[in-house]
């Protein structure tokens, strides 16, 4: 259930009568994702993860409200592509910390972070934010899929690091917002096996420097909605498990 679609009294009643209530924050970006995916790809993916995780949590007796997504984030690797709107890490972190402060003041039991924007500056910012939210006394669940063990639960393309607007992300958007995928464009795209994560490690500062002049890596032509559903299930389960763990409800 989306918090912003409820009247305030429904949220009040949930907080009073149905503790614990967790808030799920979808973290995305407004960022170029190849010639075939929309700029809000990461918003779509993070909202899809949050929605599925909320259903899992609700089924297990934990109230889960999905917050309006964050659609702006550090995205300097894609800044040269039209439509990408990159903001500073300090700005993004300040917004998240203020949201967490407000949640804590209202009596939310936990914040769960659903992130699918794996720009290194964004991930570093989220790790810092998670630490600082914990320090302010609000339990935080943040399954970080850039950690090796977490990444290993996802697809071969994701693990290879050729994971921006390729088979992995295109499959996820096909699962939830197929009308926003330009199928004519994506089926003509040649595979681009350049590893973004290796390029990051070697100091590349833009997608073009990393070998992605069209802002995609991987194999968009191979994407399927079924693969997207499978990836969504894995990411949603990880978020639900992390929230339950954070709330001391075991796994
Ligand atoms: Zn993305």
């Amino acid at each position: 259930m989306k918090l912003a679609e409820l009247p305030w009294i429904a949220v009040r009643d949930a907080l009073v009568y149905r503790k614990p209530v967790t808030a799920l924050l979808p973290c995305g970006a407004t960022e170029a994702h190849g010639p075939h995916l929309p700029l809000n790809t990461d918003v779509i993916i993070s909202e899809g993860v949050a929605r599925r995780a909320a259903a899992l949590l609700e089924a297990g007796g934990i109230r889960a409200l999905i917050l309006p997504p964050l659609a702006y984030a550090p995205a300097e690797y894609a800044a040269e592509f039209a439509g990408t709107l990159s903001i500073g890490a300090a700005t993004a972190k300040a917004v998240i910390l203020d949201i967490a402060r407000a949640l804590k003041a209202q009596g939310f039991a936990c914040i769960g972070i659903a992130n699918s924007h794996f720009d290194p500056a964004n991930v570093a910012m989220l790790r810092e934010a998670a630490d600082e939210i914990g320090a302010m006394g609000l339990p935080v669940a943040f399954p970080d899929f850039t950690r090796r063990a977490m990444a290993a639960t996802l697809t071969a393309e994701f693990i290879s690091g050729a994971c921006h607007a390729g088979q992995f992300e295109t499959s996820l958007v096909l699962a939830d917002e197929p009308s926003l995928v330009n199928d004519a464009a994506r089926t003509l795209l040649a595979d681009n096996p350049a590893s973004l994560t290796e390029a990051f490690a070697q100091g590349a500062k833009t997608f073009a420097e990393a070998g992605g002049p069209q802002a995609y890596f991987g194999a968009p032509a191979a994407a399927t909605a079924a693969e997207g559903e499978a990836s969504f299930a894995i990411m949603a389960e990880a978020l639900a498990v992390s929230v339950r763990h954070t709330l001391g409800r075991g796994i």
Side-chain angles (χ1 to χ4, degrees), residues 17-41:
Y17 299 114
R18 290 199 52 188
K19 287 186 176 178
V21 184
T22 192
L24 301 179
L25 179 64
C27 292
T30 301
E31 184 192 36
H33 276 76
H36 61 297
L37 290 179
L39 290 154
N40 70 340
T41 287

Side-chain angles (χ1 to χ4, degrees), residues 128-206:
E128 286 180 23
D131 286 347
E132 292 178 34
I133 292 168
M136 76 171 68
L138 180 65
V140 53
F142 174 37
D144 180 357
F145 280 93
T146 65
R147 301 285 191 196
R148 196 176 297 264
M150 295 288 291
T153 64
L154 292 173
T155 68
E157 184 192 83
F158 186 87
I159 295 165
S160 81
C163 55
H164 180 84
Q167 181 175 346
F168 173 75
E169 287 195 318
T170 305
S171 294
L172 290 160
V173 181
L174 281 174
D176 266 10
E177 293 284 357
S179 68
L180 296 182
V181 180
N182 183 334
D183 244 9
R186 71 120 181 154
T187 49
L188 292 174
L189 291 174
D191 294 0
N192 177 8
S195 172
L196 204 43
T197 49
E198 284 174 19
F200 290 162
Q202 287 162 12
K205 293 283 180 257
T206 67

Side-chain angles (χ1 to χ4, degrees), residues 44-45 49 52 116 167-177 223-225 227-232 235:
I44 292 167
I45 295 171
V49 170
R52 290 166 175 81
S116 64
Q167 181 175 346
F168 173 75
E169 287 195 318
T170 305
S171 294
L172 290 160
V173 181
L174 281 174
D176 266 10
E177 293 284 357
T224 65
E227 180 189 305
E229 275 302 339
S231 294
F232 267 132
M235 290 189 285

